[in-house]
Amino acid sequence: MLYTGDIGEQARWIIGPGKKGVLDVKTVALIVAAGRGTRVATTSGAAKQYADLAGRPMLSYAIAAFLDHPGICSVKVVIHRDDEAEYAGVAGTFGDRLTPPVFGGATRQESVLRGLEALAGQAVERVLIHDAARPFVTSSIIEGVLRGLDEHDGAIAAVQVADTLKQVNASGIIAATVPRQTLWRAQTPQGFRFEDILGAHSRAAAEGCSEFTDDASIAEWAGLRVVLTEGSNCNDKITTAEDLEMAQRLMAADTARATEVRTGTGFDVHRFGPGNEVWLCGVPIPHDCRLDGHSDADVGLHALTDAILGAIGDGDIGAHFPPSDPEWKGASSDRFLADAARRVAERAGSIVNVDVTLLCELPKIGPHRDAMRKAIAETLQIDVGRVGVKATTTEGLGFTGRREGIAALASASVRLPVID
Ligand code: MG
């Protein structure tokens, strides 16, 4: 019953992406994220629309795509009642053009109706309905649907069927090959005039018609003329665990293209003085002297802090924490390191790996290496596998050889967004 209209005619109406421009009519995107998606298991046990995709929940990509499009005034999401807390985590990162969510129903059709009802009375002229499980929707797909809607009752993103289609009998034997020339796969967004689609959905619900699998089929049933616009194979719905894996690979490749890795180095020296322990890489080590300095004189963390600051081109430890400032007297150096990590996060960056080399005759570093790596990993909030700590003597040569002090070298690699 899906395509009762003249598909041949619809196919001739394919509209490509047009020119961008701010549209005057009030157009809202309604994202449907109320399903349970039982075919994809997420580590947190959450529904698939909250599954991790390159460090962000899947749902956030569709929200961002619509909010970024100049033709969309606001975005509303239909969520499952059980996902309220998960959703709050996603929504918190967007501004108030993402309006409060609405709870969905038992089926997708019911969920869309609830979403449309929640938009009623707000002077919405057009609505684009989109599946949360299509995170790769692009600006040009959205644009295509908006342009199609300029001239038709409805417009939906679609992709021409490329594979040969087989009809099978009950035993799985091919009964026929189905001509595919006029067949298209319906995607979302699907755009309609608001009153039209709300009316069609309400009537379908009132008449107990609940077997529709997308909004266009309800529009067709209600007699609206719906045009196909250019979708994309990337815009396919993420349904299975295999789809999710593929999406994760694709998104990771996207991220790699949009970011670059930068490297910084650091060096520091502190002299020995009277005392009974030294702090090295965040770990106190009993010793027959201490390291002199304004803070706790953790030479390893100082070199590392400078390496991270160097990678993001943001001064050095002395500039941010002047030794002349009494606030830093005796300070624990993990504060300096945490501050450098915060500066990386502030630039939407992430630390790829860090490596510290300590130069000293004593104390022996080996027994403390794992504790040091763990301390650094905790302060930087990265995996311990991304942290290296090494030590070497200088064969009795120079100031470290004479046991007058300890020197440290460090390097840090940081992944940052490419900003032209
Ligand atoms: Mg220092």
Side-chain angles (χ1 to χ4, degrees), residues 112-154:
V112 172
L113 176 56
R114 298 228 181 132
L116 292 171
E117 284 170 345
L119 292 171
Q122 295 175 21
V124 176
E125 285 170 68
R126 312 200 294 185
V127 62
L128 263 53
I129 303 166
H130 185 70
D131 298 324
R134 299 182 193 271
F136 293 102
V137 62
T138 60
S139 171
S140 64
I141 293 174
I142 296 170
E143 185 71 17
V145 171
L146 289 172
R147 294 286 162 191
L149 199 46
D150 283 343
E151 318 227 329
H152 299 83
D153 300 334

Side-chain angles (χ1 to χ4, degrees), residues 24-164:
D24 297 328
V25 291
K26 182 167 179 183
T27 305
V28 171
L30 184 67
I31 298 178
V32 193
R36 303 323 287 150
T38 46
R39 275 180 285 178
V40 177
T42 57
T43 43
S44 63
K48 72 169 174 204
Q49 53 272 36
Y50 299 95
D52 182 273
L53 218 47
R56 283 165 55 198
M58 187 194 300
L59 172 59
S60 71
Y61 290 91
I63 295 174
F66 284 94
L67 284 178
D68 284 350
H69 193 284
I72 303 294
C73 302
S74 65
V75 174
K76 187 177 277 299
V77 183
V78 187
I79 66 169
H80 193 283
R81 199 171 283 276
D82 295 347
D83 297 337
E84 223 180 337
E86 290 271 358
Y87 179 74
V90 175
T93 56
F94 296 98
D96 58 6
R97 281 174 58 231
L98 177 62
T99 58
V102 56
F103 292 135
T107 62
R108 184 187 184 282
Q109 191 179 331
E110 222 178 294
S111 293
V112 172
L113 176 56
R114 298 228 181 132
L116 292 171
E117 284 170 345
L119 292 171
Q122 295 175 21
V124 176
E125 285 170 68
R126 312 200 294 185
V127 62
L128 263 53
I129 303 166
H130 185 70
D131 298 324
R134 299 182 193 271
F136 293 102
V137 62
T138 60
S139 171
S140 64
I141 293 174
I142 296 170
E143 185 71 17
V145 171
L146 289 172
R147 294 286 162 191
L149 199 46
D150 283 343
E151 318 227 329
H152 299 83
D153 300 334
I156 70 167
V159 173
Q160 190 152 27
V161 171
D163 295 324
T164 301

